[in-house]
Amino acid sequence: MRFSHVAAFRAVMLSGSMTMAAHELNTSQPNVSRLITQLEKDTGLKLFSRMAGRLQATPEAHAFYRDVERAYVGLADLEQSAQTIRKLGTGHLRVGAVPSMGLTVLPGIMRDFAAVHPAVRISVHFGDSVTVAQWTASRFCDIGITSYISDAIGVEADLALKMDGVCIVPPKHRLARRRTPLQPKDLAGEPFISLSHGDRRHIDSVFTRGGEDKRDLAHECQYAAVICSMVGNGMGLSIVNPIVADFYKHTGISVHEFEPSIQFMSYILTPLRYAKSELTSEFSAMIKNHISDALGLI
């Protein structure tokens, strides 16, 4: 029994005519008749008879049709399932993020995304840029948000935004009253709290340019959000992502422009050689919009 035989039978049952069925199937009436004859042979059932020149479905045909319709409902469900997967992926979005983004803009992105796709479950995993890139390359995460790209293999990187870093100082510090951009010489002898990942390399290079680094490298921390709290408690000064500084102004920090420019990046990573689902593409667009909005409010 072939699908074409069953399709012809269903078309005849729905239209009540082999001619109309042929039109629906974009074929000829003799071909539909031949398919029905073959189906009757395969099933051993008499499906149609002619009475007064009109085609009549037999009781066996009506009984068989009920099962055919159940099969078609199943096929329709499979087709709908395929469309859903094609559009939304598996209905589960796994996001990897560095804490600087995960603790600031990511919750707002998730809120807005969930409002549009309430049935989609989101899993969030925090790690440094290297770890997030590895998670994305292995497809443990569908999308990653990182601060820099090392030697990431197996990911496609999209630069979401470049931001000039800001210098943060304790609220009662002598530099808190400055209205002009701070410079490396202003931080000479000051206790400095360093990031403990890839972002610190381009920060350190500014202070070693043309001479000795005169900062007091007092402390180190992996998370810029914690550094903001440390600075707010008077433990030192630092240079951080401006979005993080803005989100953590409640710690009491004083935020200042810094020269020369130290740029902080945000990258969106997706697995290489795999087509993006609509969910991933939509989430990526929301990341860019939220980062831009957050920077515009600073």
Side-chain angles (χ1 to χ4, degrees), residues 57 84 107 134 140-141 171 180 185 210 214 217 221 252 259 261:
T84 301
Q134 292 171 346
F140 173 71
C141 287
T180 56
K185 64 181 181 180
K214 296 183 179 180
L217 300 177
C221 182
E259 294 179 348
S261 172

Side-chain angles (χ1 to χ4, degrees), residues 34 203 222:
R34 180 184 61 80
I203 296 174
Q222 184 178 2

Side-chain angles (χ1 to χ4, degrees), residues 7-169:
F9 167 72
R10 181 172 182 267
V12 173
M13 290 294 291
L14 289 172
S15 66
S17 163
M18 288 195 181
T19 301
M20 293 181 65
H23 178 74
E24 291 293 327
L25 297 173
N26 196 27
T27 187
S28 65
Q29 186 274 331
N31 189 47
V32 171
S33 180
R34 180 184 61 80
L35 292 172
I36 295 297
T37 299
Q38 186 60 50
L39 181 62
E40 288 181 326
K41 181 178 179 181
D42 291 340
T43 60
L45 301 174
K46 179 65 175 177
L47 299 173
F48 297 100
S49 61
R50 287 198 174 272
M51 296 183 63
R54 296 188 60 184
L55 192 69
Q56 296 286 334
T58 65
E60 291 81 3
H62 285 290
F64 185 57
Y65 177 70
R66 287 193 291 269
D67 289 332
V68 167
E69 276 303 293
R70 279 196 290 269
Y72 265 81
V73 168
L75 287 173
D77 288 343
L78 290 175
E79 185 175 316
Q80 181 61 44
S81 175
Q83 290 176 354
T84 301
I85 293 171
R86 187 163 56 246
K87 181 178 180 181
L88 303 179
T90 61
H92 181 198
L93 190 68
R94 293 156 298 195
V95 181
V98 292
S100 60
M101 292 292 100
L103 298 174
T104 55
V105 297
L106 185 57
I109 298 168
M110 294 170 60
R111 176 202 61 211
D112 290 354
F113 186 84
V116 179
H117 302 289
V120 176
R121 182 164 56 98
I122 304 174
S123 299
V124 179
H125 306 273
F126 288 137
D128 59 26
S129 290
V130 173
T131 301
V132 171
Q134 292 171 346
W135 285 341
T136 308
S138 67
R139 301 190 72 201
F140 173 71
C141 287
D142 302 298
I143 191 168
I145 311 171
T146 64
S147 299
Y148 65 93
I149 303 174
S150 55
D151 297 323
I153 299 175
V155 296
E156 180 180 335
D158 182 13
L159 178 61
L161 201 64
K162 290 183 181 180
M163 303 160 279
D164 288 336
V166 293
C167 184
I168 55 175
V169 302

